[in-house]
Structure formats: structure tokens, C-alpha cells
Amino acid sequence: MKKQIILLAMMLVSLASIAQERPKLVVGIAVDQMRWDYLYRYYNEYGLGGFRRLMNEGFNCENCQINYIPSITAIGHTSVFTGSVPSIHGIAGNSFLINGKSAYCAGDSTVQTVGSDTKAGKMSPRNLLVTTIGDELKTATNWRSKVIGVSFKDRAAILPAGHSADAAYWFDKKALCFITSTYYMQQLPAWVAKYNKTIKQIPIDEIQYTPYGNEITVGMAKAAVENEKLGQRGETDMLTLSFSCTDIVGHKYGTHHERTHDQYVNLDKQLADFFSFLDQKIGKGQYLVFLTADHGASNGILQNQAHKIPSDGFFSGKEEKSLNSYLCKAFNTSENLVKRFMNNQIVLNKEAIARIGAEDCKVRQSIIKYFSNHPKVQYCVDMENVLNSSVPSLIREKIINGYNHKRSGDMQIIMNPAHYGVGDVIDAGTTHSAWNPYDCHIPFVLMGWGVSHGSTQAECHITDIAPTICSLIHIQAPNGCIGNPVVQVTK
């Protein structure tokens, strides 16, 4: 009997040990503006070590959808690493409202730049209201884990890494080097300063509109792994890595331009090089990597029109003036009752509405009436009355998830498919932010530690990514997470 008890105890200890196993390193990769179909559009030009390795060795969640609007960069990066939505995590756009005033998602006037003499480092994650995968990993290991974020864009380095990150590094477009802020440290590590000396001092457009921008981002990530000994210290560490130049090129040139094609074929080579580096430095099968995107992109208006696909631009500046003119006549006032259009939302001038003695609900009704016959708009929804709006349930859910009542606009505009906001002219480039598949269908592929080869067409959401990773590495999900683990991956 005593022998059986000892054996049982040994089995329990063994099971506990298995349950506590974790990879040496977790690498979360976001490719900015990467549509899901880019995995296949250029598949025959990819080598065996990058995107194809992810799909051939890893697990491919083919039907990963963004479940909120607006589908834009800051929100996407935040939602991937928190498993949450703007309504909860508070990042309601690249810019949004804080106490009624426009604020940049990562802006922080209380910190200073570290690494250059510009203001590009006055950034931190303080506007983020919830934890990230990295925050929960550090908590689970009593803060022994290291978490570092790297990206060309500040928000794409800062928000994924989270509040307790050891560092986040982003590219200063004026100083042409990687920087950080005093939120993380008072002085750049010597290895960062050394790496910055290897970066070519060439015009910024020759960096961000060419594959070189992604190349130096990979180089910075490799330097972080090498010098911070990520995954080599006997504790699970995390690296968040975002490629921004794919988005910068896409906005300017569109989804089918040769420069976009070059970005992905070259990025494939960069990924292959990076995975090979991790194989050697950490050990094949000893690290867990996942790749996704913050959003997709619409095919360009001019391209659509050339092929007889209904498409047009929504001239936001002109529309704002026209709407204010309409409201001035409707309420017999000279004051503008709309402050601005923001993230396909309308921000009401509530002070002006109060001054003229108008009812807020009447102004909202007038705005809905104005857009009811607009040729480019399908719906205009009162954010405080979404449940009573006559919009499809899928769109309704995305509006609710994306609406933060303290930080978002007051009315949501839903444009016709293939219609999006533009400036003064329609050019060959593109944008994103809508509910449609071209903006909301993103890749989600995992490879390495704890991941079996396979794929699924079952629908999952951007908010399911974080709980899937947390389930695999046996840590608590972030504290604002609304998603669920993808069971096809974690079973």
C-alpha cells in the first residue's frame, strides 16, 4: 500500500511537471496590413523557410476574423496581444478621445525620448487599460521572464509588449535609429547603440518604402535575442515583433502594386532567416512562434473601378462641412454641431449643442436622416442605441465591441462595400477600418513548441489569439480577454 502511495505521488509530481512546461521563448509576429490571402497570392514565390514553413510545419487557422470596428493598426496590435476589444482595452483608434480631447494611442507627455534628441520617444503604454500576454507571463514567473517589443512603428512596439515589458524599441524617422522612452529606461543599452550604427543613413523613404525597413527590424529583433539572452536564461521570455513597412507601402501603392509584391517576397526571406537564427540560438522546437496581422486592406478604388467593381471614395473633409451645414439649417444656428469625423465615427460638439438648447437625441436623429439617402453610406448608427438599429447582427456586434463610450465618437458610419474615406483626391493607394472581409480576414499561423501540424476552417477571432497562446504555455489569459482558445490548436 505504501509503495502504491509513493508511485501515485510520483505520478502526480510528473503530471504537475508536464503541466508547467513552457517553451524557452514565445515570439508573437504581426505583419501590418497583411491580408489573409497574401499567404496564397505569392505562395509559389515564397521559399521553404518563411511563410511556407509556418504553413507546412505549423498549424494554420484559415478563418481568423476581426470582431470589431474600426479595424486599424493600434487596435489590431492591442487586440492580438490582449484578447480584448476597444470597448474594454480602451485603445479605440490610432488616435481617440481622452476627456473629450484627441489623444494619440501611445502618446505620453510625462516621459522623454531615450536614444535621440527628437520627441519621437514621448510614448508609453499608459493609455492601455488591460494586460497583455507578456504582462501575464511576467506575473506567472514572478517577473523573472523578459518581455521586449520591437517594431518600426512606436504603437506596434509598445502596445503588444504591455505595461510591465522590459523594453520596447521603435524607429525614429528623423534620427534614423531605434529609440525607446524613459518609461522603460534612462539610457539605451550599449547593444542598441551599437546596432544603430549599422543602419544606413539614407532618406527615410528609401527605408520605409523598400524592404530595407523590414530588414533592419529583423536585425533589431535578432540583436535583442542575442544580447538580452532571450530564451537562453532558463526562463520563458517573450519577443513581440511587428513589421510596419508592409502597411506604409500598402497605403501609398495599394494591394496589387509591384512594391507590395516585393515587400512580401522579401519579408518571406527575412522570416526564413529569422527562424533559422532562432533554430540555432534557441533550438528548433524549443520556441513558440505565431504570425498574424492587425488588419487587412481594401483593394484600391481606382483598381476596382477599372474592373467594373462598384467602388468610390468618401471625401471626409467635404462631408463634414456638408453635414455641419445641414445641421445649422435644421437647428437654426451658426455653430458647428459636429466636431470632427474620426475613425469613421462622428464626434458631436456637445458644448455647442447645449449652448443652442438643442436636444442631443434630436441632433443624432437628424444625422441619421442626413445619411439615410447618402449614395455612399449604408448605415449611420447611434452608438448609444446600437441594439435598436436596423443593421445585420454581425455588423452590430462589431460596432458594440469597438465602441468605448469614454473614448469613441458618437455615431458610426458604415459605408458601402469597397468605399472608404479619402482626402482631396482618390489615388492608387488603399486604406482599412471597415467590417468587410478584406479588412477583417487575417492570417493566424502557429509553429514550434507544443504545436502540431494541421489547419482548420473553423471561424475564430483576433480575440482568440491571446487565450490560445496563454493556454499553450499554461498562464492566465490577459485580464480584459473575451476570447477563447482555439481548441483545434490546444487539444
Side-chain angles (χ1 to χ4, degrees):
M1 183 67 178
K2 187 176 181 180
K3 187 175 182 180
Q4 290 175 327
I5 293 173
I6 293 172
L7 287 172
L8 179 60
M10 291 175 65
M11 288 175 63
L12 290 173
V13 169
S14 177
L15 288 171
S17 176
I18 291 171
Q20 291 170 4
E21 284 186 359
R22 296 187 180 114
K24 293 180 179 179
L25 178 66
V26 179
V27 181
I29 300 174
V31 182
D32 204 324
Q33 203 185 117
M34 183 177 179
R35 292 164 50 124
W36 163 82
D37 59 333
Y38 288 172
L39 286 174
Y40 298 97
R41 183 181 299 176
Y42 311 119
Y43 184 85
N44 290 335
E45 296 181 69
Y46 294 151
L48 296 177
F51 289 116
R52 287 174 69 171
R53 177 178 173 185
L54 283 168
M55 291 188 283
N56 294 338
E57 292 184 17
F59 195 95
N60 191 353
C61 298
E62 296 268 13
N63 191 16
C64 188
Q65 302 285 338
I66 292 175
N67 54 346
Y68 56 77
I69 50 174
S71 47
I72 53 182
T73 299
I75 303 176
H77 281 84
T78 303
S79 296
V80 166
F81 289 90
T82 65
S84 192
V85 291
S87 177
I88 298 169
H89 63 54
I91 303 301
N94 291 340
S95 294
F96 45 83
L97 302 175
I98 294 183
N99 298 323
K101 297 181 180 179
S102 181
Y104 180 62
C105 59
D108 188 345
S109 62
T110 69
V111 300
Q112 302 301 319
T113 303
V114 174
S116 79
D117 295 328
T118 76
K119 296 181 179 180
K122 295 179 73 63
M123 305 286 170
S124 85
R126 287 196 172 109
N127 290 331
L128 175 62
L129 303 178
V130 301
T131 60
T132 63
I133 301 170
D135 290 327
E136 296 297 335
L137 176 61
K138 289 183 77 75
T139 302
T141 62
N142 288 322
W143 294 274
R144 294 188 298 271
S145 295
K146 282 187 179 181
V147 177
I148 293 178
V150 173
S151 180
F152 198 81
K153 291 181 181 178
D154 49 46
R155 55 187 179 269
I158 293 167
L159 298 172
H163 298 279
S164 60
D166 296 271
Y169 300 106
W170 57 95
F171 197 73
D172 186 329
K173 292 184 179 182
K174 290 184 178 179
L176 301 181
C177 62
F178 281 94
I179 61 170
T180 188
S181 82
T182 51
Y183 177 88
Y184 304 98
M185 62 191 74
Q186 297 301 311
Q187 184 176 352
L188 275 186
W191 67 263
V192 179
K194 181 179 179 181
Y195 179 73
N196 279 334
K197 291 179 181 178
T198 70
I199 297 172
K200 298 175 184 177
Q201 297 299 288
I202 56 179
I204 184 61
D205 282 357
E206 293 183 27
I207 298 176
Q208 65 183 1
Y209 289 120
T210 70
Y212 187 60
N214 291 331
E215 184 179 323
I216 60 175
T217 303
V218 169
M220 183 64 179
K222 290 166 69 173
V225 171
E226 180 79 41
N227 291 278
E228 297 291 346
K229 304 298 180 185
L230 298 181
Q232 304 157 68
R233 307 177 306 105
E235 196 64 71
T236 299
D237 297 320
M238 184 169 189
L239 173 71
T240 70
L241 174 61
S242 178
F243 295 101
S244 305
C245 296
T246 45
D247 179 76
I248 296 169
V249 168
H251 275 292
K252 185 174 179 65
Y253 296 102
T255 59
H256 283 70
H257 195 277
E258 187 59 31
R259 283 181 178 257
T260 299
H261 166 264
D262 289 347
Q263 280 281 313
Y264 284 92
V265 172
N266 184 271
L267 178 57
D268 177 66
K269 297 175 183 177
Q270 295 296 325
L271 289 172
D273 176 69
F274 186 54
F275 296 154
S276 177
F277 166 80
L278 292 177
D279 288 344
Q280 297 172 19
K281 186 62 60 175
I282 311 300
K284 188 174 182 180
Q286 298 300 305
Y287 61 92
L288 168 63
V289 61
F290 67 93
L291 181 144
T292 186
D294 51 347
H295 54 74
S298 172
N299 291 324
I301 293 168
L302 298 181
Q303 173 187 308
N304 284 332
Q305 291 176 344
H307 295 278
K308 302 180 182 179
I309 296 173
S311 187
D312 208 345
F314 183 88
F315 296 90
S316 302
K318 294 179 182 178
E319 292 290 350
E320 181 181 326
K321 291 179 181 178
S322 177
L323 175 58
N324 266 319
S325 178
Y326 171 84
L327 293 174
C328 284
K329 292 179 182 178
F331 291 90
N332 192 27
T333 180
S334 61
E335 293 207 58
N336 287 337
L337 303 187
V338 168
K339 277 188 177 180
R340 65 176 68 88
F341 282 19
M342 176 188 72
N343 302 324
N344 290 341
Q345 298 164 359
I346 297 167
V347 180
L348 296 179
N349 188 341
K350 296 181 180 179
E351 297 82 1
I353 292 171
R355 279 196 298 270
I356 67 171
E359 294 182 47
D360 184 271
C361 64
K362 297 292 184 183
V363 175
R364 292 171 187 254
Q365 290 169 7
S366 293
I367 292 173
I368 292 173
K369 182 179 179 181
Y370 172 84
F371 283 110
S372 64
N373 294 314
H374 197 292
K376 300 177 183 179
V377 174
Q378 286 192 319
Y379 308 102
C380 180
V381 179
D382 181 351
M383 300 285 246
E384 295 287 356
N385 195 29
V386 181
L387 290 178
N388 292 322
S389 60
S390 56
V391 299
S393 58
L394 181 143
I395 299 175
R396 184 184 297 119
E397 179 183 359
K398 291 189 178 190
I399 294 173
I400 292 171
N401 285 343
Y403 175 51
N404 186 292
H405 75 279
K406 293 181 179 179
R407 296 183 171 188
S408 299
D410 301 288
M411 313 286 292
Q412 180 74 55
I413 298 172
I414 304 294
M415 299 175 202
N416 295 342
H419 288 61
Y420 54 78
V422 297
D424 296 329
V425 297
I426 298 172
D427 58 26
T430 187
T431 193
H432 48 86
S433 70
W435 67 268
N436 310 75
Y438 46 73
D439 281 353
C440 287
H441 190 181
I442 57 174
F444 176 33
V445 192
L446 308 92
M447 182 183 74
W449 189 93
V451 177
S452 299
H453 175 56
S455 66
T456 179
Q457 291 288 343
E459 182 175 338
C460 65
H461 301 116
I462 191 171
T463 48
D464 296 329
I465 295 173
T468 299
I469 301 306
C470 290
S471 178
L472 283 170
I473 65 176
H474 309 294
I475 64 172
Q476 184 61 267
N479 63 14
C481 180
I482 66 167
N484 297 290
V486 178
V487 294
Q488 293 89 343
V489 176
T490 59
K491 65 182 179 181

